[in-house]
Amino acid sequence: MSRLVTIIGGSGFVGRYIARRMAKQGWRVRVAVRRPNEAAFVRPYGAVGQVEPVLCNIRDDASVSSVIKGADAVVNCVGILAEKSRNTFDSVQSEGAARVARLAAVEGVDHLVQISAIGADTEAESDYARTKGEGEAAVLEHFPSAVILRPSIIFGAEDQFFNRFGGMAMFSPVVPLVGAETRFQPVYVDDVAEAAVKGVLGEAAPGIYELGGPETATFRGLMEKMLGMIHRKRVMIGLPFFAARIMAGGLDLLQFLSFGIFRNTMLTRDQVRNLAVDNVVAEDAKGFDDLGIKPVAMEAILPDYLWRFRPSGQYDAIKQSAGNLRT
């Protein structure tokens, strides 16, 4: 355990899977997060003292420099879906990524992996996608040998996509969809983690990789698949983008007028702009094939954690089987 990797945002959805894999590789793992007391669950990923949560604020040079110092590799997993207080898209995804790359180069880090997103583009209308693109550009400027990973929407036990809509389907007879015909290529979180590990180990050539699963589907198609897995029938309503913009604008305004007391976690105007663009791997992009990874299909993973949204939860299949015995 002589080599050290710093994973910034290592207790998050993707970061925890990378941390677990790096611990299995025998590396010491420094999990850099804003609230290390809430990241104690990462410690058992390795031997005693192998995985350690530490304090880091990606908006501060001294804080980032302190967690990078002495590291052989750095992975930046930090990203946000909605702005909150000083954690804006610009400060976290653009300036934060630039800060990590610049300081990693100063500290002489061997390998840098940046977790970005499909659709990252400095000219994008969405602030989320624009700042992801700016972050990528800054990373390549300061650390040209970096590996940049652009996953499509990520699924896994802790995801905020299928879990969110599964929870909605438990109580609502209607599932509203913004961008019902927008295409996605969902990718399993542990496949993204495996790609990141290859970047840390130097097994991936520098550059940008777009990561998508083996299946491409529309938003509506993904919801139909989810509803089938949780054994529920719901009415899906595709909201026109103009209506979604009005709704999101009202929710954003309410958050502003309440001085943040009400936080808009439902739908923001920036998310509406993002949902208008397909989220699939480009034909000419490097991807899993170039990394020697075979991505896992949704059918192999989703039932393992979506069962809790079924009418009888873990007993639903038993009840259905018993029903077939009735005469």
Side-chain angles (χ1 to χ4, degrees), residues 1-314:
M1 294 191 296
S2 59
R3 308 204 73 190
L4 170 65
V5 59
T6 294
I7 306 175
I8 302 177
S11 66
F13 178 33
V14 178
R16 66 185 67 185
Y17 284 82
I18 301 173
R20 185 183 292 114
R21 279 185 170 270
M22 290 308 305
K24 288 181 178 179
Q25 290 286 334
W27 284 50
R28 290 184 295 127
V29 183
R30 184 182 286 161
V31 176
V33 293
R34 285 187 299 157
R35 301 182 182 91
N37 59 307
E38 296 179 7
F41 64 86
V42 302
R43 293 181 187 271
Y45 290 172
V48 176
Q50 184 182 359
V51 183
E52 189 70 24
V54 297
L55 176 65
C56 176
N57 183 346
I58 199 172
R59 303 193 314 269
D60 180 71
D61 271 31
S63 181
V64 173
S65 180
S66 67
V67 299
I68 289 178
K69 190 175 296 293
D72 298 285
V74 173
V75 182
N76 180 22
C77 301
V78 178
I80 56 175
L81 295 175
E83 296 179 319
K84 181 181 179 182
S85 185
R86 288 178 291 180
N87 290 319
T88 65
F89 288 124
D90 285 298
S91 67
V92 172
Q93 297 185 164
S94 179
E95 298 165 13
R99 179 173 292 108
V100 171
R102 172 171 53 82
L103 295 175
V106 169
E107 294 293 337
V109 169
D110 294 330
H111 300 288
L112 172 65
V113 178
Q114 169 75 18
I115 307 297
S116 185
I118 284 180
D121 183 354
T122 56
E123 302 298 323
E125 291 186 17
S126 159
D127 289 335
Y128 172 85
R130 173 184 59 79
T131 53
K132 282 288 189 182
E134 291 173 352
E136 288 184 2
V139 166
L140 293 175
E141 176 186 351
H142 295 291
F143 208 108
S145 62
V147 170
I148 296 175
L149 304 179
R150 292 178 174 177
S152 182
I153 192 163
I154 303 176
F155 67 90
E158 305 89 353
D159 72 47
Q160 295 183 27
F161 183 71
F162 287 111
N163 278 312
R164 178 179 183 179
F165 285 96
M168 183 185 300
M170 288 180 67
F171 304 105
S172 173
V174 176
V175 177
L177 305 177
V178 178
E181 303 309 315
T182 299
R183 296 185 304 141
F184 295 89
Q185 197 170 347
V187 58
Y188 180 42
V189 60
D190 201 39
D191 290 336
V192 178
E194 184 178 357
V197 169
K198 285 184 176 289
V200 170
L201 299 179
E203 297 174 0
I208 298 175
Y209 297 82
E210 296 199 349
L211 308 180
E215 182 179 353
T216 299
T218 64
F219 193 178
R220 184 185 300 276
L222 292 176
M223 291 299 99
E224 289 173 348
K225 182 184 293 291
M226 180 206 71
L227 289 171
M229 289 184 178
I230 65 174
H231 306 160
R232 293 182 185 274
K233 294 182 179 180
R234 294 292 183 265
V235 177
M236 289 184 288
I237 299 179
L239 294 178
F241 281 108
F242 77 87
R245 284 191 290 269
I246 294 173
M247 181 186 303
L251 292 169
D252 283 346
L253 179 62
L254 181 58
Q255 176 174 290
F256 175 77
L257 294 176
S258 68
F259 298 99
I261 296 176
F262 165 80
R263 188 182 174 200
N264 181 12
T265 59
M266 298 172 62
L267 183 67
T268 68
R269 288 171 295 177
D270 196 68
Q271 289 169 349
V272 173
R273 289 191 287 267
N274 222 22
L275 286 167
V277 182
D278 285 344
N279 198 267
V280 297
V281 173
E283 291 184 3
D284 58 346
K286 292 194 295 183
F288 280 125
D289 286 344
D290 300 274
L291 295 169
I293 299 172
K294 184 177 181 180
V296 177
M298 287 184 284
E299 287 79 0
I301 302 296
L302 293 182
D304 289 344
Y305 65 94
L306 291 183
W307 56 264
R308 63 195 183 94
F309 300 115
R310 294 172 181 170
S312 299
Q314 68 207 68

